[in-house]
Amino acid sequence: MTPARGRLVALEGVDGSGKSTQAKILAESLGALLTFEPGATGLGRALRRLLLDPTSDAALDVRAEVLLMCADRAQHVARVVAPALGAGRLVVTDRFSGSTLAYQGYGRGLVVAELRQLTAWASAGVEADLTVVIDVPPKVARRRLERAAADRLERLDEHFFSRVRDGYLALAAEDPDHWTVVDGDDDVEAVAAAVRVTVERHLGVAPQGGLQERCR
Ligand code: TMP
């Protein structure tokens, strides 16, 4: 008998896109396990502090940054995501491999093909069945972030976030079977409805946690 295999949906977007709010709403509406990166495990919490501490900018090399993100992902997949998928659960994660490709690849300028290999290794081959990009123009994201205290990565300039955003859009365009883009420049409920529609369409996921067979 084939072991049960749940589904993994990743919510992605630039800081200030509203994707954490959307991940929460989606997980609740589908009865899914909600998780996030970086920081969902004991090790991850320590790594998140190192990665996002506003005072560590000068010290952290970009390759060190990506390896710490991948260490967080390895632990997250091993301890949280893979066991849940193995139990047949639907999992919604607030960020996954797409963040590494968009931020460290398109944003920081590391080679995307190398990052793909690195993150595939870190996650032991676990991939998102669907990645939903919550897309907002950089100015909208910036306005939303100004209301909150900025962490180390959020202090990067607007050009950086433009590259990250363009990266997400390029990644989505390359792989439309596994990536989708939702316009996040609308009120929370309207964006949530659009996210639900696209998840249901791509995965054949029924409300309240039911997993239907995917239509091919
Ligand atoms: P969060 O604020 O959505 O929790 O994300 C934390 C920050 O970490 C955010 O600025 C994006 C960044 N990040 C990366 O740069 N690469 C990654 O692989 C991940 C998971 C997050």
Side-chain angles (χ1 to χ4, degrees):
M1 202 174 86
T2 323
R5 208 287 194 183
R7 302 276 173 81
L8 178 61
V9 179
L11 273 274
E12 294 283 358
V14 297
D15 299 84
S17 61
K19 55 138 191 64
S20 300
T21 304
Q22 293 302 331
K24 192 161 176 277
I25 295 172
L26 180 69
E28 268 168 21
S29 75
L30 296 175
L33 175 71
L34 175 65
T35 185
F36 67 100
E37 291 188 1
T41 62
L43 174 68
R45 278 188 285 283
L47 292 172
R48 186 179 173 95
R49 271 197 301 279
L50 282 174
L51 282 159
L52 303 187
D53 178 353
T55 62
S56 72
D57 190 33
L60 198 55
D61 176 75
V62 60
R63 284 173 190 267
E65 178 178 278
V66 74
L67 289 170
L68 293 179
M69 291 292 182
C70 285
D72 172 76
R73 183 159 306 127
Q75 192 76 358
H76 182 218
V77 168
R79 296 285 185 271
V80 180
V81 176
L85 293 177
R89 290 209 61 188
L90 178 62
V91 179
V92 172
T93 183
D94 176 355
R95 297 199 183 282
F96 199 58
S97 305
S99 286
T100 304
L101 304 181
Y103 278 76
Q104 280 69 47
Y106 288 88
R108 301 278 206 198
L110 293 183
V111 178
V112 173
E114 290 177 359
L115 293 174
R116 277 189 201 279
Q117 289 184 336
L118 190 63
T119 186
W121 185 83
S123 60
V126 171
E127 290 176 10
D129 295 284
L130 179 66
T131 298
V132 182
V133 178
I134 308 297
D135 182 54
V136 294
K139 277 194 174 26
V140 173
R142 173 69 49 195
R143 213 183 315 125
R144 290 178 184 172
L145 283 177
E146 274 164 9
R147 291 188 227 123
D151 64 34
R152 191 182 64 86
L153 293 174
E154 288 167 357
R155 287 179 184 202
L156 293 164
D157 65 73
E158 207 160 298
H159 299 295
F160 173 81
F161 285 112
S162 287
R163 291 198 299 279
V164 173
R165 183 207 188 188
D166 291 347
Y168 276 129
L169 297 179
L171 291 163
E174 263 170 39
D175 187 5
D177 285 347
H178 299 101
W179 286 69
T180 180
V181 179
V182 167
D183 180 3
D185 191 9
D186 205 338
D187 60 64
V188 172
E189 294 75 21
V191 178
V195 170
R196 266 285 294 279
V197 167
T198 197
V199 170
E200 287 176 16
R201 202 182 54 234
H202 274 81
L203 295 187
V205 174
Q208 301 313 322
L211 283 177
Q212 300 170 341
E213 282 307 304
R214 182 170 182 186
C215 303
R216 293 192 184 270

